[in-house]
Amino acid sequence: VRSDFLDILRCPDCGQRLALTSEDGHGDAVASGSLSCPAGHTAPVVRGVPRFVDSEQYAGNFGFEWSLHDRTQLDGPDSRESESSFRLRTGFTPDDLAGRVVLDVGCGMGRYADVAARWGATVVGVDLSLAVDSAQRNLGDSPRVHIAQADVLRLPFAEATFDYVFSIGVLHHTPDTRAAFERLPRLLKPGGRIAVWVYSTARWPVSDLLRRWTWRMPRRLLHTLSHVAVPKYYVDRLPVVGVASRMLLPVSLHPRAEWRVLDTFDWYSPRYQWKHTYQEVRPWFEAQGLVDIRVLSVPVSLQGRRPAEP
Ligand SMILES: C[S@@+](CC[C@H](N)C(=O)[O-])C[C@H]1O[C@@H](n2cnc3c(N)ncnc32)[C@H](O)[C@@H]1O
């Protein structure tokens, strides 16, 4: 954790500023230590990351997923896929984000925080799971990225802290998508914008049926089974047989084999995986007083703005 993160962090219990005591590391790079507020609430810093939760709770499979696939979806010289996906699901542009303070809710291993930082934003990534360790390894050296382990329902920030907030593929993995969403608009500065992408109802029902068992399986076994997506891709693309195969056992059809394994595990491993429609989510934005609501092209993604103060 670096000292400039302390300007953004607040005690999740009482909202006061936090002070950092270092046990290891120095100056601008404290690897272990603790944060405390004047009221005596504390949070440890472990492996360079402030931790505002005691455990991963229901998100342990995500911690496992992002430790195995810590760089699979990170943009590199030969792929800008996360950047394109970010544009489609948020509607944000480099001009929007440059020089702004941005929150990535449920950052996983940090692929979208990476995009926002490349675009010139100061980015805070939070996640409930140990994915934060992968995000910290991937992005912790960037002076514009800060990572914390925290629950969307108990975030360590004051109201009106961020210019932009986004959450991509996360809120539907909490016990209550709407309740999680409702924590976010207040974190925007007046005039700030929020974008979220949640799963749409247009998904194969059979995978929901299978997930009743698969999310409880030993993680390594489910991950090994997810490798079926590697060869199945070629069957699924055949004319008639492929349609039947896709209906019986949906798996990722991403052209890259490693993404197929990751996405298939990601699909079958979550404890919670709610599905939504635009008709349902748009009123959530309205009820929070957000304006300029834009429905984006990838279902179900929307963007809205907190009104500027009069
Ligand atoms: C499918 S992953 C998406 C990660 C990242 N946004 C991406 O698209 O690469 C969902 C993430 O949400 C996180 N998550 C689930 N519940 C959460 C909560 N209550 N608070 C914060 N993060 C949560 C999980 O740990 C997981 O890393």
Side-chain angles (χ1 to χ4, degrees):
V1 64
R2 291 186 314 277
S3 51
D4 50 343
F5 198 9
L6 301 182
D7 293 334
I8 298 176
L9 285 172
R10 292 293 179 273
C11 174
D13 295 320
C14 64
Q16 300 191 76
R17 281 186 76 98
L18 293 158
L20 177 61
T21 311
S22 169
E23 285 159 15
D24 173 18
H26 51 82
D28 246 18
V30 171
S32 68
S34 79
L35 293 162
S36 57
C37 74
H41 303 120
T42 60
V45 175
V46 181
R47 294 183 291 279
V49 177
R51 316 271 170 165
F52 297 95
V53 288
D54 295 333
S55 76
E56 297 182 287
Q57 301 170 35
Y58 53 83
N61 282 345
F62 282 116
F64 173 80
E65 171 181 326
W66 298 124
S67 75
L68 287 185
H69 294 279
D70 57 343
R71 295 186 70 86
T72 307
Q73 297 181 324
L74 208 57
D75 282 349
D78 52 346
S79 167
R80 282 278 185 269
E81 189 163 335
S82 290
E83 181 169 329
S84 333
S85 154
F86 181 76
R87 282 178 189 268
L88 288 171
R89 286 170 174 76
T90 63
F92 298 155
T93 66
D95 279 349
D96 291 331
L97 265 50
R100 306 296 189 166
V101 184
V102 177
L103 176 64
D104 175 357
V105 179
C107 62
M109 55 60 154
R111 59 173 164 153
Y112 294 122
D114 173 50
V115 174
R118 285 203 317 263
W119 287 1
T122 294
V123 192
V124 176
V126 294
D127 201 286
L128 178 59
S129 76
L130 291 175
V132 292
D133 287 317
S134 301
Q136 178 72 6
R137 270 198 309 278
N138 288 333
L139 308 174
D141 286 342
S142 163
R144 284 203 295 269
V145 179
H146 306 284
I147 303 294
Q149 190 179 0
D151 186 344
V152 63
L153 297 181
R154 188 172 165 272
L155 289 171
F157 311 112
E159 284 196 15
T161 296
F162 297 96
D163 299 298
Y164 286 81
V165 173
F166 66 84
S167 182
I168 305 179
V170 174
L171 303 177
H172 52 248
H173 290 311
T174 68
D176 181 338
T177 312
R178 181 175 185 164
F181 170 76
E182 287 177 348
R183 300 303 174 109
L184 304 180
R186 70 186 73 164
L187 300 177
L188 287 170
K189 295 176 188 169
R193 285 202 268 161
I194 179 168
V196 304
W197 174 61
V198 294
Y199 280 168
S200 123
T201 45
R203 294 264 185 170
W204 297 110
V206 65
S207 56
D208 276 341
L209 202 63
L210 289 171
R211 200 174 47 78
R212 288 190 199 173
W213 296 281
T214 54
W215 77 265
R216 302 168 207 259
M217 274 184 171
R219 291 168 185 150
R220 288 203 176 273
L221 174 61
L222 181 58
H223 188 256
T224 301
L225 292 175
S226 300
H227 283 74
V228 74
V230 176
K232 193 170 177 299
Y233 173 74
Y234 300 99
V235 178
D236 284 7
R237 284 157 38 109
L238 294 173
V240 177
V241 181
V243 175
S245 167
R246 289 202 301 266
M247 283 181 68
L248 281 172
L249 181 65
V251 297
S252 165
L253 289 176
H254 194 282
R256 294 185 181 203
E258 201 185 334
W259 283 57
R260 291 205 286 285
V261 176
L262 160 57
D263 281 346
T264 301
F265 181 85
D266 186 273
W267 181 235
Y268 285 103
S269 62
R271 166 74 183 87
Y272 301 107
Q273 194 189 69
W274 309 109
K275 316 289 191 306
H276 302 282
T277 61
Y278 282 117
Q279 290 75 11
E280 187 187 3
V281 178
R282 195 189 165 102
W284 302 353
F285 275 61
E286 290 164 352
Q288 290 296 304
L290 295 163
V291 295
D292 291 346
I293 298 166
R294 281 177 58 194
V295 166
L296 304 166
S297 61
V298 182
V300 168
S301 48
L302 295 99
Q303 190 204 96
R305 188 169 58 77
R306 185 173 178 182
E309 269 161 355

